[in-house]
Amino acid sequence: MARIELRDCTIRFKDGLSGTAAISATAPTSGATSMSVDTIVLNTHDTDLIPVGARFTVAGETASQTHVVLTRTPTTSSPTTSITFSPALGAGTYAEDGVVTFASQELEIKIGDGNVTYTEHKEYQYLLDRGNLDTVREGNEVPMDVKLDCVYEHITTGTSENISPMDAIKGIGSASEWVSSSDDLCEPYAVDLEVEHQPDCGTAQNETTLFPDFRPDSKEINFKDATISVSGKCKATEPVVSRV
């Protein structure tokens, strides 16, 4: 068993993008970094506009890997007809109308001297019988508290810059095409916060802790220390932990 150290952790903000598209025209070949697409159905506001930064897999790739959209054509209007991406397609057999499956957009965030902390809450009702303790019942569910202290990079970004942590948690600027992680898109915008621990020692298991549907209550910017402190709640009573 390995002690969790931040230096061994990768921390990400993830949105809720999902959907599919189909390969159109001539099917790509191994090594390709561009592809024509059609029949796009996404859970975005504009359902056939593929976001730059979208992650996807392609049916037919022998060793399945995740690709990231770098550019799209047309640039600003829909429907998207072609995309460029990285990394290049690996070995495989690709066919016209092959399925392209989209997954969440992600931002890795830097933790300098900061931290990620969370607090679980439980509400109990202690019932009395003629003034004496008798039994206990569970009360209402209480959302989990999460606090994140990360490196300050930009509050907002321009079109040629990477997404900042503040953009990601607000869904603005370079993250304006991010999709809420909530299953109910009528709810206020939320993101998933994921902490992946990969210890470089022995046979210790990797551990991923997912804090779903995180919404910040407060955001504190510290220019002197170059940090952003964000605290909020998740639409969950506890994180989802998985080990490999």
Side-chain angles (χ1 to χ4, degrees), residues 1-12 14 116 118 120 193-201 203-211 239-244:
M1 194 171 209
R3 173 177 171 176
I4 294 180
E5 300 281 359
L6 269 179
R7 64 173 175 266
D8 297 326
C9 292
T10 301
I11 302 172
R12 305 180 183 91
K14 304 173 68 173
V116 178
Y118 72 96
E120 297 180 18
L193 175 61
E194 181 182 82
V195 180
E196 183 180 8
H197 181 234
Q198 297 177 302
D200 186 20
C201 56
T203 58
Q205 292 181 314
N206 293 348
E207 180 176 276
T208 299
T209 304
L210 177 67
F211 303 95
V240 179
V241 179
S242 57
R243 298 180 181 90
V244 179

Side-chain angles (χ1 to χ4, degrees), residues 13-203:
F13 285 133
K14 304 173 68 173
D15 81 339
L17 179 68
S18 64
T20 60
I23 299 172
S24 67
T26 304
T29 57
S30 301
T33 57
S34 63
M35 182 191 307
S36 297
V37 292
D38 59 14
T39 322
I40 303 165
V41 182
L42 301 174
N43 64 339
T44 53
H45 176 71
D46 191 340
T47 59
D48 54 7
L49 180 68
I50 297 175
V52 173
R55 299 165 63 249
F56 66 91
T57 56
V58 184
E61 195 164 17
T62 303
S64 180
Q65 61 178 331
T66 300
H67 307 273
V68 180
V69 176
L70 302 179
T71 64
R72 66 188 177 200
T73 304
T75 304
T76 57
S77 59
S78 60
T80 301
T81 57
S82 65
I83 55 175
T84 65
F85 52 86
S86 178
L89 289 176
T93 303
Y94 306 99
E96 184 177 351
D97 295 329
V99 177
V100 179
T101 304
F102 290 93
S104 61
Q105 302 178 82
E106 295 184 355
L107 169 67
E108 289 191 8
I109 54 179
K110 298 178 182 177
I111 300 293
D113 293 327
N115 199 1
V116 178
T117 60
Y118 72 96
T119 305
E120 297 180 18
H121 305 277
K122 200 74 173 180
E123 184 178 283
Y124 293 105
Q125 298 174 353
Y126 291 83
L127 305 181
L128 305 179
D129 180 7
R130 292 175 291 182
N132 298 318
L133 285 172
D134 180 54
T135 189
V136 181
R137 293 178 181 171
E138 287 194 7
N140 296 327
E141 289 188 344
V142 181
M144 170 177 50
D145 291 320
V146 178
K147 185 175 181 181
L148 170 74
D149 295 305
C150 61
V151 174
Y152 170 89
E153 290 184 336
H154 297 284
I155 294 179
T156 58
T157 60
T159 54
S160 62
E161 296 170 329
N162 293 325
I163 296 172
S164 74
M166 196 61 76
D167 285 346
I169 62 176
K170 290 183 176 181
I172 63 173
S174 297
S176 60
E177 293 184 4
W178 276 39
V179 182
S180 176
S181 61
S182 173
D183 292 334
D184 184 353
L185 297 182
C186 291
E187 291 181 347
Y189 175 81
V191 295
D192 288 341
L193 175 61
E194 181 182 82
V195 180
E196 183 180 8
H197 181 234
Q198 297 177 302
D200 186 20
C201 56
T203 58

